[in-house]
């Protein structure tokens, strides 16, 4: 049973917007941190954004000012609002979660977080941005 399920990907023109959603309702654990990473074929995964239970967020420099991560705990949903999309944003976007807070902080795919490894992952949703 898929525990984290992404949706909202698709194809848009450069400058367009998409909102990705991650349904965590089948995940039986309480997440402390949740985030999004992206990956294209042949490349290492890149952390895009992360949010913790206190609402603290961090973003990759490449998406700052364009992407916004948010979570609706009541609805068990995680979002990624993506504006001003560029062709280089084309990738498979996956949501991830961690149950455990790390009081000393850590780094996950290039992003500073307040959690241990965000090891629970969905299958991803593809985003294609055309120039």
């Amino acid at each position: 049973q898929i525990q984290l399920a992404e949706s909202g990907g698709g194809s848009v023109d450069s400058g367009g917007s998409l909102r990705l959603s991650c349904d965590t309702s089948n995940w039986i654990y309480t997440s402390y941190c949740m985030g999004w990473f992206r990956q294209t074929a042949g490349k290492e995964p890149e952390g895009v954004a992360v949010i913790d239970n206190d609402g603290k967020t961090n973003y990759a420099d490449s998406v700052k000012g364009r992407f916004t991560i948010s979570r609706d705990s009541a609805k068990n949903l995680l979002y990624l609002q993506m504006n001003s999309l560029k062709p280089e944003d084309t990738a498979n976007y996956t949501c991830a979660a961690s149950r455990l807070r790390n009081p000393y902080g850590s780094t996950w795919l290039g992003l500073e977080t307040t959690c241990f490894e965000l090891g629970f992952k969905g299958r991803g949703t593809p985003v294609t941005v055309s120039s």
Side-chain angles (χ1 to χ4, degrees):
Q1 185 179 24
I2 299 173
Q3 295 180 319
L4 302 178
E6 302 90 343
S7 62
S11 297
V12 295
D13 292 333
S14 181
S17 297
L18 285 172
R19 188 176 79 159
L20 306 183
S21 299
C22 177
D23 185 349
T24 69
S25 58
N26 288 324
W27 200 43
I28 63 173
Y29 303 111
T30 299
S31 61
Y32 191 81
C33 286
M34 296 203 70
W36 292 91
F37 70 94
R38 63 188 182 186
Q39 190 169 19
T40 56
K43 292 188 177 182
E44 293 295 313
E46 174 191 20
V48 174
V50 64
I51 185 169
D52 68 16
N53 265 5
D54 296 324
K56 181 178 179 181
T57 59
N58 265 315
Y59 297 90
D61 288 342
S62 59
V63 306
K64 281 180 182 176
R66 300 188 297 122
F67 291 11
T68 303
I69 188 171
S70 60
R71 60 195 297 178
D72 185 334
S73 297
K75 296 182 179 179
N76 296 312
L77 290 170
L78 175 74
Y79 300 107
L80 184 68
Q81 178 66 43
M82 306 187 296
N83 298 329
S84 302
L85 282 161
K86 304 176 182 180
E88 51 263 43
D89 294 319
T90 295
N92 192 58
Y93 285 73
T94 303
C95 68
S98 172
R99 299 167 52 192
L100 301 175
R101 179 176 177 266
N102 182 349
Y104 303 104
S106 62
T107 301
W108 172 69
L109 299 179
L111 299 177
E112 293 186 1
T113 79
T114 55
C115 287
F116 289 103
E117 173 74 19
L118 280 72
F120 295 92
K121 307 169 189 176
R123 292 182 177 177
T125 184
V127 171
T128 301
V129 184
S130 303
S131 58

